Amino acid sequence: MSHHYQILQDTSLEEFVKFWAEAYDYPSDHLYTKNIGQPFTEERVHELFLWKNGGKLSRLKEKSVSDHYVSSISKLGTISKDTPPDQWLKDFGTGGAIWNIFFLHAWNPKFPIFDQHVFRAMKFIQTGKVLEIPSANRRKVEIYLKEYLPFYNLLEKELKNSPSRDLDRALWKFGQFLKWLKPPIENEADENSE
């Protein structure tokens, strides 16, 4: 299978991950590394969502974090880490798709983070085209479960010696680069917006 890991020349997956992970620069990354994999507390959940948001949360986003995620902390203590992601998202996916998937990742980091940038990176690697994530929440969850998880797991298995966090960082940075490189060639077809 041919993958487009870099725009101008062929490169190995290891070289791709090394290059793009080293280019990753996120000012609040300490909030992620300090809190990920730790038992959930209200403060940790808020700090993880501060990281995901890229900075201060608006009043509405703070309310969303409290209503949808902090309020779930006590229920999560009874859930097995072996719970399949589709079931977990069904049971705990009361917010927006991207934040629900991030909450899944925060609860169990074996499930990768998903957003517009990693979607764009995945589609470019698969097709050589710059595609944008659909806006419908249901479609985002479907893509995560049916496309992104198998794609990510395949890359992770192929990498073997590289930390998963490096793969996350590389895909995010590469997808961000693609956004600024040029406008999308195509858009992923949206279903009816929710």
Side-chain angles (χ1 to χ4, degrees):
M1 173 186 282
S2 173
H3 294 298
H4 305 276
Y5 294 122
Q6 202 173 32
I7 292 176
L8 299 176
Q9 66 186 38
D10 288 332
T11 189
S12 72
L13 178 59
E14 289 80 11
E15 292 168 326
F16 169 86
V17 169
K18 183 178 185 321
F19 178 83
W20 290 104
E22 286 177 1
Y24 176 91
D25 182 28
Y26 202 74
S28 59
D29 213 42
H30 67 282
L31 293 174
Y32 178 87
T33 55
K34 170 181 143 185
N35 292 297
I36 200 69
Q38 300 297 318
F40 277 165
T41 63
E42 184 173 341
E43 181 181 356
R44 282 191 180 120
V45 170
H46 277 283
E47 286 188 352
L48 284 165
F49 278 96
L50 275 173
W51 173 83
K52 178 64 179 142
N53 195 56
K56 188 171 177 8
L57 297 169
S58 69
R59 204 173 356 190
L60 284 175
K61 286 184 177 182
E62 278 283 352
K63 182 174 174 10
S64 179
V65 169
S66 293
D67 292 351
H68 299 293
Y69 308 110
V70 170
S71 67
S72 298
I73 292 173
S74 62
K75 292 183 264 180
L76 287 171
T78 63
I79 304 300
S80 167
K81 293 287 185 181
D82 294 329
T83 301
D86 57 337
Q87 183 61 50
W88 196 95
L89 288 166
K90 185 177 174 190
D91 293 345
F92 294 97
T94 60
I98 298 301
W99 278 26
N100 291 343
I101 292 167
F102 176 68
F103 193 48
L104 167 66
H105 169 79
W107 174 72
N108 190 347
K110 81 175 187 179
F111 297 110
I113 300 168
F114 183 68
D115 64 14
Q116 63 173 327
H117 299 308
V118 299
F119 173 86
R120 200 178 296 113
M122 173 184 71
K123 288 300 184 179
F124 187 85
I125 289 168
Q126 292 173 332
T127 69
K129 296 176 183 174
V130 179
L131 300 172
E132 294 301 319
I133 196 167
S135 59
N137 279 325
R138 184 179 56 224
R139 183 72 178 116
K140 288 174 189 169
V141 170
E142 180 181 309
I143 290 168
Y144 179 74
L145 295 171
K146 294 181 180 175
E147 295 179 43
Y148 191 70
L149 285 178
F151 167 81
Y152 186 90
N153 291 335
L154 183 68
L155 294 183
E156 193 175 44
K157 195 178 288 186
E158 190 178 324
L159 276 171
K160 296 177 190 154
N161 297 323
S162 187
S164 297
R165 186 70 183 121
D166 284 351
L167 179 57
D168 278 334
R169 288 176 171 149
L171 291 169
W172 187 87
K173 188 62 182 180
F174 182 60
Q176 184 188 46
F177 169 75
L178 290 172
K179 179 179 181 176
W180 300 115
L181 178 68
K182 58 184 171 182
I185 301 168
E186 298 180 20
N187 287 313
E188 177 81 8
D190 269 339
E191 293 180 0
N192 296 331
S193 292
E194 298 175 349

